[in-house]
Amino acid sequence: LFRSEYEDGTKYTQLVLGLGYAAFFTVWSGTRDQLTRIQVVSSAGLMTISLVAYVVFEVQQMILRTTRLRRLTEAIAANPAAIDSALQQFNTWVISSNKKAIRFWSLILCPTIILAVLAVMILLYGFAVRLYHLFVS
């Protein structure tokens, strides 16, 4: 049950983040002519760095999942009769690797969120200024 909820939650998070990044760049590309050069470059740059940080984390997770599968397969192939022992060792290693992955995510999470929020704030500020000038003139 826990694993299923975790996997569903992970897929949902990936979907929401993917849609969020896509939405940002869609809005950004459609409105960049209305923004100043510094707003265009800084918002796109910040969001791109945020996206790269997120992709680095996802690639690390992909490598970790592949490594886990390879280790389990090798352990079972080495001694099929000792599958219980192999599973126990595998679970111990998974717990240890999960702790490391959580620490890594903690380091990636803050810059990912902060940079994305700053990029969105730059866009919103640019929109607000542009709307103000439209209403005043």
Side-chain angles (χ1 to χ4, degrees):
L1 178 66
F2 172 75
R3 184 174 188 85
S4 164
E5 286 181 17
Y6 173 78
E7 288 172 0
D8 290 345
T10 298
K11 289 175 188 173
Y12 179 75
T13 299
Q14 291 169 341
L15 176 66
V16 168
L17 287 174
L19 291 174
Y21 284 118
F24 173 86
F25 282 110
T26 300
V27 169
W28 177 87
S29 68
T31 59
R32 65 180 178 214
D33 294 341
Q34 304 300 316
L35 303 170
T36 66
R37 185 169 170 82
I38 191 75
Q39 290 168 338
V40 169
V41 172
S42 61
S43 62
L46 289 170
M47 190 60 82
T48 299
I49 295 168
S50 171
L51 179 59
V52 167
Y54 177 69
V55 168
V56 164
F57 173 75
E58 287 299 325
V59 168
Q60 181 263 347
Q61 288 295 101
M62 176 190 64
I63 292 168
L64 186 59
R65 282 189 298 271
T66 303
T67 302
R68 286 176 180 166
L69 182 60
R70 182 181 49 79
R71 280 191 176 196
L72 179 60
T73 304
E74 287 171 355
I76 293 171
N79 189 357
I83 194 166
D84 289 337
S85 173
L87 286 173
Q88 252 182 328
Q89 289 177 344
F90 176 73
N91 285 332
T92 301
W93 182 77
V94 166
I95 291 168
S96 173
S97 67
N98 281 345
K99 289 178 183 178
K100 292 175 186 172
I102 289 168
R103 282 194 298 268
F104 182 66
W105 177 235
S106 298
L107 293 173
I108 295 290
L109 181 63
C110 285
T112 301
I113 292 172
I114 291 169
L115 295 174
V117 168
L118 287 173
V120 169
M121 288 174 61
I122 290 169
L123 276 188
L124 291 175
Y125 173 78
F127 296 156
V129 168
R130 184 70 176 158
L131 280 174
Y132 172 78
H133 288 298
L134 286 173
F135 285 121
V136 170
S137 47

PDB file of all heavy atoms in Angstrom, residues 111-134:
ATOM      1  N   PRO A 111      16.444  25.349  -4.162  1.00  0.00           N
ATOM      2  CA  PRO A 111      16.738  26.158  -5.345  1.00  0.00           C
ATOM      3  C   PRO A 111      15.701  25.983  -6.452  1.00  0.00           C
ATOM      4  O   PRO A 111      15.367  26.943  -7.152  1.00  0.00           O
ATOM      5  CB  PRO A 111      18.110  25.669  -5.815  1.00  0.00           C
ATOM      6  CG  PRO A 111      18.631  24.774  -4.779  1.00  0.00           C
ATOM      7  CD  PRO A 111      17.530  24.456  -3.826  1.00  0.00           C
ATOM      8  N   THR A 112      15.184  24.764  -6.608  1.00  0.00           N
ATOM      9  CA  THR A 112      14.192  24.521  -7.654  1.00  0.00           C
ATOM     10  C   THR A 112      12.957  25.389  -7.432  1.00  0.00           C
ATOM     11  O   THR A 112      12.480  26.065  -8.348  1.00  0.00           O
ATOM     12  CB  THR A 112      13.798  23.032  -7.674  1.00  0.00           C
ATOM     13  OG1 THR A 112      14.968  22.251  -7.919  1.00  0.00           O
ATOM     14  CG2 THR A 112      12.778  22.734  -8.749  1.00  0.00           C
ATOM     15  N   ILE A 113      12.450  25.386  -6.215  1.00  0.00           N
ATOM     16  CA  ILE A 113      11.245  26.163  -5.897  1.00  0.00           C
ATOM     17  C   ILE A 113      11.525  27.661  -5.912  1.00  0.00           C
ATOM     18  O   ILE A 113      10.780  28.437  -6.521  1.00  0.00           O
ATOM     19  CB  ILE A 113      10.667  25.729  -4.537  1.00  0.00           C
ATOM     20  CG1 ILE A 113      10.108  24.310  -4.634  1.00  0.00           C
ATOM     21  CG2 ILE A 113       9.593  26.697  -4.062  1.00  0.00           C
ATOM     22  CD1 ILE A 113       9.695  23.715  -3.306  1.00  0.00           C
ATOM     23  N   ILE A 114      12.593  28.076  -5.253  1.00  0.00           N
ATOM     24  CA  ILE A 114      12.890  29.509  -5.143  1.00  0.00           C
ATOM     25  C   ILE A 114      13.103  30.133  -6.512  1.00  0.00           C
ATOM     26  O   ILE A 114      12.553  31.202  -6.811  1.00  0.00           O
ATOM     27  CB  ILE A 114      14.104  29.740  -4.222  1.00  0.00           C
ATOM     28  CG1 ILE A 114      13.734  29.403  -2.769  1.00  0.00           C
ATOM     29  CG2 ILE A 114      14.617  31.171  -4.329  1.00  0.00           C
ATOM     30  CD1 ILE A 114      14.898  29.333  -1.819  1.00  0.00           C
ATOM     31  N   LEU A 115      13.890  29.478  -7.354  1.00  0.00           N
ATOM     32  CA  LEU A 115      14.149  30.029  -8.689  1.00  0.00           C
ATOM     33  C   LEU A 115      12.880  30.076  -9.534  1.00  0.00           C
ATOM     34  O   LEU A 115      12.648  31.049 -10.267  1.00  0.00           O
ATOM     35  CB  LEU A 115      15.244  29.224  -9.388  1.00  0.00           C
ATOM     36  CG  LEU A 115      16.626  29.302  -8.730  1.00  0.00           C
ATOM     37  CD1 LEU A 115      17.597  28.361  -9.424  1.00  0.00           C
ATOM     38  CD2 LEU A 115      17.151  30.729  -8.733  1.00  0.00           C
ATOM     39  N   ALA A 116      12.048  29.052  -9.445  1.00  0.00           N
ATOM     40  CA  ALA A 116      10.798  29.041 -10.210  1.00  0.00           C
ATOM     41  C   ALA A 116       9.864  30.153  -9.730  1.00  0.00           C
ATOM     42  O   ALA A 116       9.257  30.859 -10.543  1.00  0.00           O
ATOM     43  CB  ALA A 116      10.110  27.684 -10.090  1.00  0.00           C
ATOM     44  N   VAL A 117       9.763  30.334  -8.419  1.00  0.00           N
ATOM     45  CA  VAL A 117       8.907  31.390  -7.875  1.00  0.00           C
ATOM     46  C   VAL A 117       9.423  32.762  -8.293  1.00  0.00           C
ATOM     47  O   VAL A 117       8.636  33.645  -8.672  1.00  0.00           O
ATOM     48  CB  VAL A 117       8.789  31.269  -6.334  1.00  0.00           C
ATOM     49  CG1 VAL A 117       8.168  32.502  -5.721  1.00  0.00           C
ATOM     50  CG2 VAL A 117       7.989  30.020  -5.967  1.00  0.00           C
ATOM     51  N   LEU A 118      10.727  32.971  -8.248  1.00  0.00           N
ATOM     52  CA  LEU A 118      11.302  34.249  -8.692  1.00  0.00           C
ATOM     53  C   LEU A 118      10.986  34.508 -10.167  1.00  0.00           C
ATOM     54  O   LEU A 118      10.635  35.627 -10.546  1.00  0.00           O
ATOM     55  CB  LEU A 118      12.809  34.273  -8.460  1.00  0.00           C
ATOM     56  CG  LEU A 118      13.277  34.418  -7.028  1.00  0.00           C
ATOM     57  CD1 LEU A 118      14.796  34.262  -6.938  1.00  0.00           C
ATOM     58  CD2 LEU A 118      12.842  35.759  -6.457  1.00  0.00           C
ATOM     59  N   ALA A 119      11.098  33.472 -10.993  1.00  0.00           N
ATOM     60  CA  ALA A 119      10.796  33.627 -12.424  1.00  0.00           C
ATOM     61  C   ALA A 119       9.335  34.016 -12.632  1.00  0.00           C
ATOM     62  O   ALA A 119       9.028  34.915 -13.426  1.00  0.00           O
ATOM     63  CB  ALA A 119      11.116  32.327 -13.167  1.00  0.00           C
ATOM     64  N   VAL A 120       8.434  33.373 -11.908  1.00  0.00           N
ATOM     65  CA  VAL A 120       7.008  33.694 -12.015  1.00  0.00           C
ATOM     66  C   VAL A 120       6.747  35.113 -11.512  1.00  0.00           C
ATOM     67  O   VAL A 120       5.976  35.869 -12.121  1.00  0.00           O
ATOM     68  CB  VAL A 120       6.154  32.660 -11.246  1.00  0.00           C
ATOM     69  CG1 VAL A 120       4.711  33.116 -11.120  1.00  0.00           C
ATOM     70  CG2 VAL A 120       6.233  31.301 -11.936  1.00  0.00           C
ATOM     71  N   MET A 121       7.410  35.495 -10.424  1.00  0.00           N
ATOM     72  CA  MET A 121       7.222  36.849  -9.887  1.00  0.00           C
ATOM     73  C   MET A 121       7.693  37.906 -10.887  1.00  0.00           C
ATOM     74  O   MET A 121       7.054  38.958 -11.023  1.00  0.00           O
ATOM     75  CB  MET A 121       7.952  36.991  -8.546  1.00  0.00           C
ATOM     76  CG  MET A 121       7.267  36.228  -7.423  1.00  0.00           C
ATOM     77  SD  MET A 121       8.194  36.221  -5.867  1.00  0.00           S
ATOM     78  CE  MET A 121       8.261  37.957  -5.488  1.00  0.00           C
ATOM     79  N   ILE A 122       8.778  37.641 -11.593  1.00  0.00           N
ATOM     80  CA  ILE A 122       9.253  38.579 -12.617  1.00  0.00           C
ATOM     81  C   ILE A 122       8.211  38.725 -13.709  1.00  0.00           C
ATOM     82  O   ILE A 122       7.904  39.835 -14.152  1.00  0.00           O
ATOM     83  CB  ILE A 122      10.612  38.123 -13.189  1.00  0.00           C
ATOM     84  CG1 ILE A 122      11.701  38.289 -12.134  1.00  0.00           C
ATOM     85  CG2 ILE A 122      10.963  38.895 -14.455  1.00  0.00           C
ATOM     86  CD1 ILE A 122      13.020  37.623 -12.491  1.00  0.00           C
ATOM     87  N   LEU A 123       7.633  37.604 -14.150  1.00  0.00           N
ATOM     88  CA  LEU A 123       6.578  37.671 -15.169  1.00  0.00           C
ATOM     89  C   LEU A 123       5.372  38.459 -14.665  1.00  0.00           C
ATOM     90  O   LEU A 123       4.836  39.311 -15.369  1.00  0.00           O
ATOM     91  CB  LEU A 123       6.131  36.275 -15.585  1.00  0.00           C
ATOM     92  CG  LEU A 123       6.929  35.542 -16.638  1.00  0.00           C
ATOM     93  CD1 LEU A 123       6.213  34.259 -17.041  1.00  0.00           C
ATOM     94  CD2 LEU A 123       7.200  36.384 -17.849  1.00  0.00           C
ATOM     95  N   LEU A 124       4.946  38.150 -13.452  1.00  0.00           N
ATOM     96  CA  LEU A 124       3.782  38.848 -12.887  1.00  0.00           C
ATOM     97  C   LEU A 124       4.048  40.338 -12.735  1.00  0.00           C
ATOM     98  O   LEU A 124       3.170  41.162 -13.017  1.00  0.00           O
ATOM     99  CB  LEU A 124       3.388  38.224 -11.542  1.00  0.00           C
ATOM    100  CG  LEU A 124       2.806  36.813 -11.610  1.00  0.00           C
ATOM    101  CD1 LEU A 124       2.579  36.263 -10.204  1.00  0.00           C
ATOM    102  CD2 LEU A 124       1.531  36.791 -12.420  1.00  0.00           C
ATOM    103  N   TYR A 125       5.239  40.677 -12.306  1.00  0.00           N
ATOM    104  CA  TYR A 125       5.600  42.090 -12.183  1.00  0.00           C
ATOM    105  C   TYR A 125       5.556  42.765 -13.560  1.00  0.00           C
ATOM    106  O   TYR A 125       5.007  43.850 -13.712  1.00  0.00           O
ATOM    107  CB  TYR A 125       6.991  42.239 -11.557  1.00  0.00           C
ATOM    108  CG  TYR A 125       7.476  43.661 -11.564  1.00  0.00           C
ATOM    109  CD1 TYR A 125       7.003  44.569 -10.628  1.00  0.00           C
ATOM    110  CD2 TYR A 125       8.400  44.101 -12.515  1.00  0.00           C
ATOM    111  CE1 TYR A 125       7.435  45.888 -10.633  1.00  0.00           C
ATOM    112  CE2 TYR A 125       8.835  45.414 -12.533  1.00  0.00           C
ATOM    113  CZ  TYR A 125       8.350  46.300 -11.589  1.00  0.00           C
ATOM    114  OH  TYR A 125       8.768  47.608 -11.608  1.00  0.00           O
ATOM    115  N   GLY A 126       6.137  42.084 -14.555  1.00  0.00           N
ATOM    116  CA  GLY A 126       6.109  42.639 -15.913  1.00  0.00           C
ATOM    117  C   GLY A 126       4.696  42.817 -16.425  1.00  0.00           C
ATOM    118  O   GLY A 126       4.368  43.836 -17.047  1.00  0.00           O
ATOM    119  N   PHE A 127       3.817  41.851 -16.137  1.00  0.00           N
ATOM    120  CA  PHE A 127       2.416  41.977 -16.541  1.00  0.00           C
ATOM    121  C   PHE A 127       1.752  43.148 -15.838  1.00  0.00           C
ATOM    122  O   PHE A 127       1.016  43.924 -16.454  1.00  0.00           O
ATOM    123  CB  PHE A 127       1.631  40.708 -16.216  1.00  0.00           C
ATOM    124  CG  PHE A 127       2.079  39.491 -16.967  1.00  0.00           C
ATOM    125  CD1 PHE A 127       1.830  38.231 -16.449  1.00  0.00           C
ATOM    126  CD2 PHE A 127       2.739  39.572 -18.185  1.00  0.00           C
ATOM    127  CE1 PHE A 127       2.228  37.088 -17.125  1.00  0.00           C
ATOM    128  CE2 PHE A 127       3.145  38.434 -18.863  1.00  0.00           C
ATOM    129  CZ  PHE A 127       2.888  37.189 -18.334  1.00  0.00           C
ATOM    130  N   ALA A 128       1.989  43.269 -14.554  1.00  0.00           N
ATOM    131  CA  ALA A 128       1.370  44.345 -13.770  1.00  0.00           C
ATOM    132  C   ALA A 128       1.807  45.706 -14.283  1.00  0.00           C
ATOM    133  O   ALA A 128       0.982  46.614 -14.438  1.00  0.00           O
ATOM    134  CB  ALA A 128       1.715  44.187 -12.290  1.00  0.00           C
ATOM    135  N   VAL A 129       3.075  45.872 -14.556  1.00  0.00           N
ATOM    136  CA  VAL A 129       3.589  47.137 -15.073  1.00  0.00           C
ATOM    137  C   VAL A 129       2.972  47.428 -16.434  1.00  0.00           C
ATOM    138  O   VAL A 129       2.539  48.551 -16.710  1.00  0.00           O
ATOM    139  CB  VAL A 129       5.133  47.117 -15.150  1.00  0.00           C
ATOM    140  CG1 VAL A 129       5.667  48.295 -15.938  1.00  0.00           C
ATOM    141  CG2 VAL A 129       5.726  47.088 -13.748  1.00  0.00           C
ATOM    142  N   ARG A 130       2.925  46.424 -17.286  1.00  0.00           N
ATOM    143  CA  ARG A 130       2.356  46.603 -18.624  1.00  0.00           C
ATOM    144  C   ARG A 130       0.870  46.971 -18.543  1.00  0.00           C
ATOM    145  O   ARG A 130       0.406  47.873 -19.247  1.00  0.00           O
ATOM    146  CB  ARG A 130       2.545  45.310 -19.425  1.00  0.00           C
ATOM    147  CG  ARG A 130       2.088  45.405 -20.834  1.00  0.00           C
ATOM    148  CD  ARG A 130       2.987  46.302 -21.635  1.00  0.00           C
ATOM    149  NE  ARG A 130       2.533  46.272 -23.013  1.00  0.00           N
ATOM    150  CZ  ARG A 130       2.788  47.191 -23.895  1.00  0.00           C
ATOM    151  NH1 ARG A 130       3.523  48.213 -23.590  1.00  0.00           N
ATOM    152  NH2 ARG A 130       2.327  47.088 -25.107  1.00  0.00           N
ATOM    153  N   LEU A 131       0.106  46.284 -17.676  1.00  0.00           N
ATOM    154  CA  LEU A 131      -1.311  46.619 -17.488  1.00  0.00           C
ATOM    155  C   LEU A 131      -1.476  48.037 -16.965  1.00  0.00           C
ATOM    156  O   LEU A 131      -2.362  48.778 -17.423  1.00  0.00           O
ATOM    157  CB  LEU A 131      -1.964  45.619 -16.526  1.00  0.00           C
ATOM    158  CG  LEU A 131      -2.379  44.285 -17.116  1.00  0.00           C
ATOM    159  CD1 LEU A 131      -2.861  43.354 -16.024  1.00  0.00           C
ATOM    160  CD2 LEU A 131      -3.446  44.469 -18.189  1.00  0.00           C
ATOM    161  N   TYR A 132      -0.648  48.420 -16.030  1.00  0.00           N
ATOM    162  CA  TYR A 132      -0.702  49.773 -15.471  1.00  0.00           C
ATOM    163  C   TYR A 132      -0.504  50.794 -16.580  1.00  0.00           C
ATOM    164  O   TYR A 132      -1.272  51.766 -16.697  1.00  0.00           O
ATOM    165  CB  TYR A 132       0.357  49.941 -14.377  1.00  0.00           C
ATOM    166  CG  TYR A 132       0.479  51.354 -13.888  1.00  0.00           C
ATOM    167  CD1 TYR A 132      -0.467  51.871 -13.001  1.00  0.00           C
ATOM    168  CD2 TYR A 132       1.508  52.187 -14.325  1.00  0.00           C
ATOM    169  CE1 TYR A 132      -0.382  53.177 -12.561  1.00  0.00           C
ATOM    170  CE2 TYR A 132       1.602  53.488 -13.889  1.00  0.00           C
ATOM    171  CZ  TYR A 132       0.661  53.991 -13.006  1.00  0.00           C
ATOM    172  OH  TYR A 132       0.736  55.279 -12.578  1.00  0.00           O
ATOM    173  N   HIS A 133       0.492  50.602 -17.413  1.00  0.00           N
ATOM    174  CA  HIS A 133       0.754  51.532 -18.519  1.00  0.00           C
ATOM    175  C   HIS A 133      -0.380  51.542 -19.549  1.00  0.00           C
ATOM    176  O   HIS A 133      -0.693  52.589 -20.120  1.00  0.00           O
ATOM    177  CB  HIS A 133       2.089  51.220 -19.192  1.00  0.00           C
ATOM    178  CG  HIS A 133       3.271  51.575 -18.360  1.00  0.00           C
ATOM    179  ND1 HIS A 133       3.564  52.843 -17.951  1.00  0.00           N
ATOM    180  CD2 HIS A 133       4.237  50.783 -17.819  1.00  0.00           C
ATOM    181  CE1 HIS A 133       4.643  52.852 -17.215  1.00  0.00           C
ATOM    182  NE2 HIS A 133       5.076  51.611 -17.101  1.00  0.00           N
ATOM    183  N   LEU A 134      -1.008  50.404 -19.753  1.00  0.00           N
ATOM    184  CA  LEU A 134      -2.141  50.345 -20.686  1.00  0.00           C
ATOM    185  C   LEU A 134      -3.330  51.142 -20.157  1.00  0.00           C
ATOM    186  O   LEU A 134      -4.020  51.831 -20.916  1.00  0.00           O
ATOM    187  CB  LEU A 134      -2.556  48.898 -20.938  1.00  0.00           C
ATOM    188  CG  LEU A 134      -1.637  48.072 -21.835  1.00  0.00           C
ATOM    189  CD1 LEU A 134      -2.077  46.612 -21.850  1.00  0.00           C
ATOM    190  CD2 LEU A 134      -1.604  48.631 -23.251  1.00  0.00           C
TER     191      LEU A 134
END
